[in-house]
Amino acid sequence: MAQPSTTTAPRPDSHSGGHVVLGYWDGEGIGPEITPPTRRAVELALEPSGVTVTWTRLELGAAAFAATGQVVPDATLATVLGSGEDAGLDGWVLGPHDNASYPPEAREQLNPSAALRSAADLWANVRPVLALPGAPAPDLDVVVVRENTEGMYADRNMVTGSGDLRVTRDVALAVGVFTREKIRRITGYAAKVAQGRGGVLTVAHKSNVLARTSGMYLEEAERVSAATGVEIRPVHIDALCAELVSHPGRHRTIVAENMFGDILSDLTAALGGSLGTAGSVNAGDRHAMAQAAHGSAPDIAGLGTANPAGVMNSAAQLLSHLGYVLSFITTSVWIRDRGGGRALPGRERGDSGLRGRGCHGGRTPGRSHGGGIRRAGGGDGEDPCGK
């Protein structure tokens, strides 16, 4: 069994003994079926190292809005971020949100995922894919490093309100934001990931059209290449999508702006077996959040068929980011061996929320058509996807 590739920049080796406090939100849709067993998986993964876990419940989403008028209440942000001598949480596990079903007033606010990424400055979204047996691209082993706080996603680019603007009834504008500081930060991080994965960094861009914005990715990639020796491979985003289909082994580490990274990571997840099994961690200088790449799949919520592999893989990445590397490896290999439908920790086969058949025609949550992946919504910011 091949072990999962390194998915984050190097961090300290695994701890021995101790205690960790993590936050959690079970989420909406299938979330309450897949997040509780994930918490149990985290506890079991840390047990051999003598590490215990205290879980802090976070109030978010539709229920929080009904109680407070806020999708992400101020009290929740205070718990996550801390204040004064309270440093807040090191990490948390976020279940999927179904903001498409929120009342109109709630949909005007940032969804739980986007709000937490912004407030905690979770600027690196790391999405690895190691192909599952029987996947369309069985040799795929890639990590997409996505800038998480600006770019083409206009809903999070303004101090107040949205950058998705209606000028007249028939004319609309979307404000994209690209800053050298954040591009330099993400390309530097991606270069560290690439150093452990063959030393080549693919840069997704469209500088032939967006010369001043997307072009900054090329400028900063060339700078980090000169500083680190990492080889830079610039590829237009459209050509890169085609190459991932026709030559999936050609690219090992990819850095991209927000929207490009979102698209690429969904594509690689589908090629690697299923969007429903893809893990994802959102990391910043101080905090980190585990959140599966898939959505809330309301069409199968409550049926006991949702596969928790995606959020479990995300939690495994969180453990690695926090320094529990052996626990990350143990969890990732276990999920790969058993997460596609066999019994999961502390449960019997067939228990609610623990049955799923991944890329082999089952009911794994996701947004793509085909390959047995169930549709759960449309684009980012107005659907049940955990973007």
Side-chain angles (χ1 to χ4, degrees):
M1 169 59 61
Q3 292 186 351
S5 302
T6 301
T7 59
T8 60
R11 293 184 60 84
D13 204 351
S14 300
H15 307 293
S16 178
H19 182 74
V20 61
V21 179
L22 299 174
Y24 76 94
W25 179 54
D26 281 344
E28 296 155 341
I30 61 171
E33 301 172 61
I34 62 176
T35 308
T38 297
R39 296 201 302 275
R40 181 58 180 147
V42 168
E43 294 166 357
L44 290 174
L46 291 171
E47 270 184 11
S49 299
V51 179
T52 58
V53 185
T54 295
W55 292 98
T56 299
R57 184 173 179 270
L58 303 176
E59 297 290 340
L60 295 164
F65 180 81
T68 69
Q70 294 178 293
V71 172
V72 181
D74 293 337
T76 298
L77 288 179
T79 299
V80 169
L81 303 178
S83 60
E85 296 183 359
D86 178 10
L89 300 173
D90 283 332
W92 58 95
V93 177
L94 192 77
H97 62 78
D98 185 10
N99 68 317
S101 68
Y102 292 179
E105 298 83 1
R107 292 201 299 272
E108 292 177 358
Q109 301 179 21
L110 284 179
N111 65 58
S113 170
L116 288 170
R117 291 180 185 185
S118 176
D121 195 22
L122 305 179
W123 48 269
N125 183 205
V126 184
R127 293 185 169 186
V129 175
L130 179 62
L132 296 169
D139 297 328
L140 185 68
D141 181 0
V142 65
V143 175
V144 176
V145 181
R146 167 193 177 194
E147 205 293 318
N148 216 17
T149 60
E150 55 176 24
M152 299 298 290
Y153 278 152
D155 66 333
R156 61 207 68 177
N157 283 339
M158 312 295 279
V159 174
T160 59
S162 172
D164 187 34
L165 308 170
R166 181 69 62 88
V167 180
T168 71
R169 188 186 69 171
D170 301 318
V171 178
L173 299 176
V175 179
V177 173
F178 294 76
T179 61
R180 189 172 298 279
E181 176 188 6
K182 292 186 176 182
I183 294 172
R184 178 170 296 178
R185 185 169 63 174
I186 198 68
T187 53
Y189 184 94
K192 291 180 181 179
V193 176
Q195 284 177 321
R197 295 179 50 79
V200 179
L201 177 62
T202 298
V203 184
H205 71 100
K206 196 62 177 173
S207 64
N208 58 328
V209 176
L210 303 169
R212 293 174 179 81
T213 52
S214 192
M216 270 202 287
Y217 272 84
L218 296 183
E219 296 168 9
E220 289 305 312
E222 290 169 359
R223 185 197 62 81
V224 79
S225 175
T228 64
V230 168
E231 178 186 342
I232 299 301
R233 183 178 293 166
V235 186
H236 288 154
I237 180 64
D238 45 348
L240 181 54
C241 288
E243 287 186 9
L244 285 168
V245 173
S246 61
H247 299 88
R250 181 174 292 175
H251 303 281
R252 295 266 293 163
T253 308
I254 302 170
V255 64
E257 68 87 30
N258 209 336
M259 181 180 288
F260 290 173
D262 191 8
I263 295 168
L264 288 169
S265 58
D266 281 11
L267 172 62
T268 54
L271 290 171
S274 171
L275 182 58
T277 62
S280 170
V281 70
N282 303 269
D285 296 330
R286 175 65 184 87
H287 304 282
M289 174 174 74
Q291 178 193 18
H294 64 71
S296 64
D299 59 331
I300 62 170
L303 299 181
T305 58
N307 190 331
V311 69
M312 286 187 176
N313 276 319
S314 304
Q317 286 181 250
L318 176 62
L319 292 177
S320 176
H321 184 84
L322 296 177
Y324 302 103
V325 179
L326 295 179
S327 297
F328 155 70
I329 294 173
T330 300
T331 306
S332 298
V333 172
W334 176 83
I335 294 167
R336 188 170 176 80
D337 283 344
R338 302 189 180 185
R342 302 204 264 293
L344 299 176
R347 299 291 193 117
E348 296 298 325
R349 185 197 307 263
D351 275 10
S352 177
L354 302 182
R355 287 178 287 133
R357 291 167 291 182
C359 61
H360 304 293
R363 300 172 71 85
T364 301
R367 295 183 291 116
S368 305
H369 294 296
I373 304 170
R374 293 296 296 252
R375 181 172 175 81
D380 187 11
E382 56 183 13
D383 70 356
C385 302
K387 293 300 182 188

